[in-house]
């Protein structure tokens, strides 16, 4: 009888460990897949967000995140001092150029995430590249082409990339300025010669 109980406990423990590893491994990927679908299909209340573009949180949504939109994606856990930008990149059609305006010392950050591993692989922003105007080439893992002169390259480990950007808002009166700067952070396709 005692032998049978130990055997059952070992089987139960083995199943528990296996389930734990499966959840740890697959849950982040599943959540990012759901987030990707929500971005591309519903957006943040203003309609779908096309691939290879950045959506900037509206001023109304920033001012009143609980009531300004039909979307529930940006209503909980929202930073109250940074405007958000989001986009999903697909590098199968080639690299993109990220254009950033002169931020005049203002904090901003553009984070690049590999959704297959749920890891951040690069940042552009005040702490990493400074606040001057700039352009950055974002390419997939196998891209080999002519680099534009003076443009640093960010190589993604995957052809699919989640982009999350933030621009600091100092006060309610600063919101229009911050929003204008956030909207100037843009993506464009690399012009091929």
């Amino acid at each position: 009888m005692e032998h049978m109980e130990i055997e059952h406990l070992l089987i139960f423990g083995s199943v528990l460990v296996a389930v734990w590893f499966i959840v740890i491994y697959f849950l982040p990927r599943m959540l990012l897949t759901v987030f990707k679908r929500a971005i591309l299909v519903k957006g943040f209340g203003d309609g779908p967000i096309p691939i290879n573009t950045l959506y900037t949180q509206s001023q109304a949504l920033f001012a009143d995140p609980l009531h300004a939109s039909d979307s529930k994606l940006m209503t909980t856990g929202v930073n109250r001092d940074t405007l958000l930008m989001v986009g999903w990149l697909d590098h199968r059609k080639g690299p993109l150029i990220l254009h950033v305006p002169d931020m005049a010392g203002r904090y901003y950050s553009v984070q690049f995430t590999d959704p297959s591993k749920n890891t951040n692989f690069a940042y552009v922003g005040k702490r990493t590249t400074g606040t001057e105007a700039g352009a950055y080439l974002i390419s997939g893992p196998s891209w080999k082409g002519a680099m534009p002169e003076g443009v640093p390259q960010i190589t993604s480990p995957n052809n699919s990339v989640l982009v999350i950007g933030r621009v600091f808002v100092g006060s309610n009166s600063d919101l229009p300025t911050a929003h204008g700067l956030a909207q100037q952070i843009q993506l464009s396709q690399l012009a091929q010669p």
Side-chain angles (χ1 to χ4, degrees), residues 90-113:
D90 182 353
H91 289 302
R92 289 179 292 180
K93 293 182 180 174
L96 298 161
I97 302 284
L98 175 71
H99 304 277
V100 177
D102 185 349
M103 292 293 199
R106 179 186 298 266
Y107 172 82
Y108 81 101
S109 172
V110 181
Q111 160 190 324
F112 299 92
T113 301

Side-chain angles (χ1 to χ4, degrees), residues 2-43:
E2 204 173 291
H3 176 67
M4 192 93 145
E5 287 177 14
I6 292 174
E7 187 176 306
H8 286 148
L9 283 175
L10 287 173
I11 291 171
F12 178 73
S14 299
V15 169
L16 206 58
V17 168
V19 168
W20 180 74
F21 277 115
I22 289 170
V23 168
I24 294 292
Y25 185 78
F26 286 109
L27 186 62
R29 287 159 185 79
M30 291 182 341
L31 290 175
L32 282 171
T33 300
V34 169
F35 192 62
K36 176 182 180 182
R37 182 167 170 74
I39 289 171
L40 299 178
V41 173
K42 184 164 181 166

Side-chain angles (χ1 to χ4, degrees), residues 91 93-97 137-140 143 188-190 192:
H91 289 302
K93 293 182 180 174
L96 298 161
I97 302 284
L137 183 120
I138 307 153
S139 65
W143 182 77
S188 65
Q189 202 72 41
L190 175 66
Q192 300 292 334

